[in-house]
Amino acid sequence: LLFVLGTVSCTLFLVVNSLYSASDDVIELTPTNFNKEVIQSENLWLVEFYAPWCGHCQRLTPEWKKAATALKGVVKVGAVDADKHQSLGGQYGVRGFPTIKIFGANKNKAEDYQGGRTSDAIVDAALSALRSLVKDRLSGRSGGYSSGKQSRESGGGDKRDVIELTDDSFDKNVINSDDVWMVEFYAPWCGHCKNLEPEWAAAATEVKEQTKGKVKLAAVDATVNQMLTSRYGIRGFPTIKIFQKGEDPVDYDGGRTRSDIVSRALDLFSDNAPPPELLEIISEDVLKNTCDAYQLCIISVLPHILDTGASGRNSYLDVMLKMAEKYKKKMWGWLWTEAGAQSDLESSLGIGGFGYPAMAAINARKMKFALLKGSFSEQGINEFLRELSVGRGSTAPVAGGAFPKIHSVEPWDGKDGELPVEDDIDLSDVDLDDWDKDEL
């Protein structure tokens, strides 16, 4: 379940502070110092991307500090508040918290850390990565920071991630593609183009990895491919245009650094990414994993299947899916359950057996929630979520200060409900004449 970090400001839920301070051996990283401290560094870095409200991050904090102290002077250990600095988290494909990445010899190809969350496990992984880095240097395979500089004429072959396009190849590759294309029109003699080249190449590699090839960076020699130059009215170099299926191309007018280009590419990717998954609460794990991992979890309690049938239920689910699509850039999880299936959960949210369909937005760290007061419609839900986004609305504590017991249930099979089969009663042996007529 992949999500893209968007603008988050639910101030009614969140009053947060950094998990680290200047007195720690963990180095606080921001968009201002990240490039200088990490990317341009010869050191091996372990970087945690966290959110202060994330329960898993809070549990990791003491272990991360302990590992940083143990590795001091050997391996750099840093932390990014990716809730506050969402562009930096998005640049490295952070979709959940905490995410830990290892920046080794090639800082453009950070590796995901998948090990344990104890200080011992973190230190072991750091030393293992350090050993590999030193061995690579010894064998001459790596020389530290790689800026991604590579000439378009250097014959990089399949390793080049900037796709060269021509008059002949442009339409079949770009125009009918389901992918997003960022295309640089350049001239070989242009000084600004030469300055952009290493940034464009480095960004192409990172974007390819972060979007799994769904956003592509390409280049057109505008001095050779006159048809394309004329068609798109190229008057200066470099000119960068963005192509998306079914839309007119638009000019890219952002910054010319790798991080600027990657940031815009990831925004384009998130705009075209599928919405988050809508999950039925069939077990405690589904609820806990969703509500612990994301800033808010949006839970709908839908009427019993006998009250709506499959078509009625699907209409409610469609409304939720449309809202999940609309708000997909936010770090929210989306859940639903049938009325009565999780009665303890309903009671803890003040829903309690009536008023279906209902919706609650829950902050699992604060154990506070807000209820939808308007209609369960696109308009009503949109107003409810928009109010949350700007910090307005009323909240209440979850009863008991924790999630109640969640019952394991069978997932909905997508069909209409069936009334329970009642045993037939055989009245043939009953002598009604023996009954007291007054009791009839």
Side-chain angles (χ1 to χ4, degrees):
L1 178 59
L2 296 182
F3 293 84
V4 178
L5 293 174
T7 301
V8 179
S9 61
C10 288
T11 55
L12 80 166
F13 282 102
L14 305 174
V15 179
V16 294
N17 298 303
S18 173
L19 299 183
Y20 302 98
S21 67
S23 62
D24 300 323
D25 291 316
V26 177
I27 300 168
E28 281 276 17
L29 298 167
T30 68
T32 304
N33 69 0
F34 194 90
N35 190 62
K36 181 179 180 181
E37 292 284 348
V38 180
I39 302 302
Q40 296 178 10
S41 169
E42 294 288 342
N43 294 305
L44 178 77
W45 276 83
L46 266 64
V47 179
E48 175 203 4
F49 294 82
Y50 72 92
W53 46 259
C54 161
H56 294 301
C57 303
Q58 293 163 13
R59 288 189 285 275
L60 174 63
T61 297
E63 299 298 317
W64 197 245
K65 290 180 180 179
K66 193 184 299 183
T69 300
L71 292 167
K72 190 173 183 178
V74 180
V75 172
K76 298 276 191 178
V77 177
V80 175
D81 183 342
D83 186 52
K84 182 178 181 181
H85 306 297
Q86 293 171 20
S87 62
L88 192 53
Q91 184 175 317
Y92 290 100
V94 176
R95 300 291 182 266
F97 303 120
T99 291
I100 299 172
K101 289 187 177 285
I102 301 172
F103 291 81
N106 185 347
K107 298 298 194 294
N108 289 323
K109 293 187 177 182
E111 298 177 13
D112 287 322
Y113 170 76
Q114 304 287 3
R117 300 290 174 86
T118 66
S119 56
D120 284 344
I122 294 163
V123 167
D124 286 346
L127 295 178
S128 177
L130 185 63
R131 182 179 178 84
S132 296
L133 183 148
V134 173
K135 279 195 164 186
D136 284 346
R137 287 180 180 175
L138 190 63
S139 63
R141 287 197 295 268
S142 176
Y145 170 61
S146 170
S147 66
K149 293 182 180 179
Q150 56 211 68
S151 169
R152 291 187 176 101
E153 290 80 26
S154 64
D158 294 338
K159 293 181 180 180
R160 292 185 306 171
D161 293 316
V162 175
I163 302 168
E164 286 283 351
L165 297 170
T166 66
D167 285 340
D168 294 331
S169 66
F170 189 89
D171 283 5
K172 66 181 179 182
N173 280 285
V174 178
I175 299 303
N176 297 317
S177 174
D178 290 327
D179 300 326
V180 178
W181 287 75
M182 298 178 71
V183 181
E184 175 205 359
F185 293 83
Y186 72 94
W189 46 259
C190 161
H192 292 301
C193 301
K194 292 176 181 176
N195 291 335
L196 174 62
E197 182 179 336
E199 301 294 326
W200 195 249
T205 298
E206 190 167 336
V207 169
K208 181 179 180 181
E209 293 173 356
Q210 299 289 358
T211 70
K212 294 181 169 53
K214 292 298 183 182
V215 179
K216 293 178 167 61
L217 269 62
V220 172
D221 184 341
T223 64
V224 173
N225 299 285
Q226 295 290 332
M227 183 184 75
L228 290 173
T229 303
S230 175
R231 183 200 296 182
Y232 294 112
I234 307 301
R235 297 288 180 267
F237 306 114
T239 292
I240 300 171
K241 289 185 176 288
I242 298 168
F243 295 83
Q244 300 183 77
K245 189 174 184 179
E247 299 181 17
D248 292 333
V250 296
D251 288 328
Y252 167 77
D253 53 8
R256 300 291 177 85
T257 67
R258 175 194 58 82
S259 60
D260 291 327
I261 298 161
V262 170
S263 180
R264 182 60 188 279
L266 293 179
D267 281 343
L268 292 165
F269 175 62
S270 68
D271 288 341
N272 288 272
E277 194 174 2
L278 174 56
L279 301 174
E280 183 181 3
I281 304 174
I282 59 173
S283 68
E284 183 173 340
D285 284 346
V286 172
L287 178 72
K288 291 281 189 183
N289 290 342
T290 301
C291 292
D292 284 350
Y294 302 107
Q295 182 197 19
L296 297 179
C297 48
I298 313 299
I299 299 178
S300 290
V301 183
L302 304 183
H304 194 280
I305 191 64
L306 293 176
D307 294 328
T308 63
S311 62
R313 174 166 292 180
N314 282 323
S315 68
Y316 288 130
L317 294 175
D318 285 344
V319 169
M320 285 197 73
L321 286 169
K322 287 178 181 177
M323 289 299 99
E325 166 72 36
K326 183 178 181 67
Y327 289 90
K328 67 182 178 181
K329 285 190 176 182
K330 297 186 178 292
M331 290 297 293
W332 294 351
W334 296 79
L335 302 166
W336 71 275
T337 185
E338 179 181 79
Q342 304 295 346
S343 55
D344 294 336
L345 178 61
E346 290 184 41
S347 297
S348 71
L349 300 175
I351 297 170
F354 62 90
Y356 305 115
M359 175 178 284
I362 304 171
N363 177 337
R365 187 180 76 84
K366 292 284 189 181
M367 273 299 154
K368 288 188 175 182
F369 70 95
L371 283 179
L372 169 68
K373 300 295 176 63
S375 63
F376 196 98
S377 63
E378 288 183 47
Q379 181 179 353
I381 295 172
N382 184 51
E383 290 176 358
F384 169 60
L385 297 178
R386 190 173 59 210
E387 289 288 296
L388 294 184
S389 297
V390 297
R392 292 198 293 266
S394 59
T395 64
V398 175
F403 283 126
K405 177 179 174 58
I406 299 299
H407 305 282
S408 295
V409 297
E410 290 295 320
W412 180 45
D413 60 8
K415 300 177 182 177
D416 289 327
E418 295 182 1
L419 289 168
V421 177
E422 297 183 2
D423 294 333
D424 292 331
I425 301 175
D426 186 358
L427 299 177
S428 61
D429 294 333
V430 177
D431 188 353
L432 294 178
D433 292 336
D434 291 339
W435 283 31
D436 187 337
K437 300 295 191 296
D438 293 336
E439 296 179 358
L440 292 178

